[in-house]
Amino acid sequence: MDLKITTLAGKDAGKVTLSEAIFGLDPREDILQRVVRWQLAKKQQGTHQAKGRADIARTGAKMYKQKGTGRARHSSARAPQFRGGGKAHGPVARSHEHDLPKKVRQLGLKHALSAKAKSSSIIVIDELKLADAKTKALVASLTSLGLTNALVIGGAELDQGFKRAAANIPNIDVLPIQGINVYDILRRGTLVLSKAAVEALEERFK
C-alpha cells in the first residue's frame, strides 16, 4: 500500500510503502472491542467504596422486643432497610483489571491501524518539527492539512517544540511511538504518523 508523504507545510515529500501485514488487514470489531475494554478497565481506579452494615457506627442493640408489638421483627438499626443503615451489595474498592493475551493486544493494534487505512484516515508526515514552536503556527499548519481531530504519533523522541505547541489544541493528541494504543487511535478521526513512526511500527511487527 503506497501513501503520499507530506510536510507540515503541506508540500509533497515522496511516498512510503505501508506493510499489508500491518495496515492491510480486514478489521475485526470483536478484537478491537476486546482491546478497548481491556484498556479502559486497566485505567479504572476502582476506589469506589460504600459503607456496608459492618462499617456503620450505630448501636447493635435490638430495636424493640421480638413479640407483642404487632410490628415486623427487627434487630440492628444498621440493616440496609433503615435510614442511616449500611448499603446492601454496595461497591467496594477493587481492581477492574483483567488479563488479555499479548498476541490479542498486538493483533488489536494491527486491526486499529488497518481500520484507519481502510477508511483513508491515515496521513504520513515527513518530520514533526517546528521552526517556530508556537501554537498559532501549528494550528495553521494542521488546518491547511484538514486536521481538526487527530492523533499524532512521532518517533521514539518527540520534538519538544512540537509537543508544547500541540499541548493546548483541542482534539489533537500527540504521543511517541511507544505510547501508540488502540483506544487513542479509534477515538480520534485521523491518524497522523511521522516517517519515523512508520519505520518503528514495521520494525516492531517484523
Side-chain angles (χ1 to χ4, degrees):
M1 182 190 301
D2 289 336
L3 212 62
K4 187 177 75 172
I5 302 175
T6 60
T7 63
L8 274 174
K11 295 177 181 177
D12 193 2
K15 283 188 177 183
V16 65
T17 302
L18 300 181
S19 170
E20 290 290 331
I22 303 171
F23 296 90
L25 302 177
D26 192 21
R28 279 180 51 183
E29 290 183 5
D30 60 322
I31 290 176
L32 295 175
Q33 187 268 349
R34 284 181 68 186
V35 179
V36 169
R37 182 173 167 271
W38 171 78
Q39 273 191 251
L40 294 182
K42 200 176 172 70
K43 280 175 67 176
Q44 272 188 275
Q45 286 184 320
T47 52
H48 40 16
Q49 177 81 43
K51 285 187 177 181
R53 62 186 295 169
D55 304 314
I56 299 295
R58 256 185 171 184
T59 178
K62 189 169 173 66
M63 297 177 71
Y64 45 79
K65 66 180 184 176
Q66 177 86 343
K67 294 181 177 293
T69 64
R71 298 179 65 185
R73 297 169 292 186
H74 288 301
S75 178
S76 172
R78 291 178 289 201
Q81 65 265 37
F82 298 116
R83 185 182 180 90
K87 186 172 178 61
H89 312 299
V92 293
R94 67 186 180 91
S95 169
H96 292 269
E97 191 175 342
H98 58 269
D99 288 333
L100 190 67
K102 187 176 180 181
K103 286 186 178 180
V104 177
R105 303 200 302 263
Q106 289 178 338
L107 195 59
L109 184 54
K110 288 181 184 179
H111 279 262
L113 293 168
S114 296
K116 287 297 179 188
K118 193 172 183 180
S119 62
S120 302
S121 300
I122 290 184
I123 292 178
V124 179
I125 288 181
D126 187 26
E127 271 190 320
L128 298 176
K129 285 187 178 178
L130 285 175
D132 187 17
K134 298 285 185 183
T135 300
K136 188 175 180 180
L138 183 56
V139 168
S141 296
L142 295 178
T143 305
S144 67
L145 292 170
L147 299 173
T148 54
N149 187 306
L151 171 66
V152 182
I153 303 292
E157 295 291 332
L158 286 174
D159 179 59
Q160 290 304 307
F162 184 92
K163 189 178 177 182
R164 278 197 296 270
N168 290 331
I169 307 176
N171 301 323
I172 299 292
D173 297 331
V174 180
L175 292 173
I177 188 62
Q178 304 93 307
I180 192 169
N181 65 87
V182 173
Y183 177 66
D184 281 327
I185 290 173
L186 297 180
R187 73 192 282 260
R188 293 297 175 209
T190 308
L191 176 63
V192 180
L193 297 171
S194 71
K195 201 174 171 184
V198 173
E199 291 168 0
L201 279 171
E202 295 193 347
E203 183 65 30
R204 176 173 173 176
F205 291 117
K206 188 181 288 184

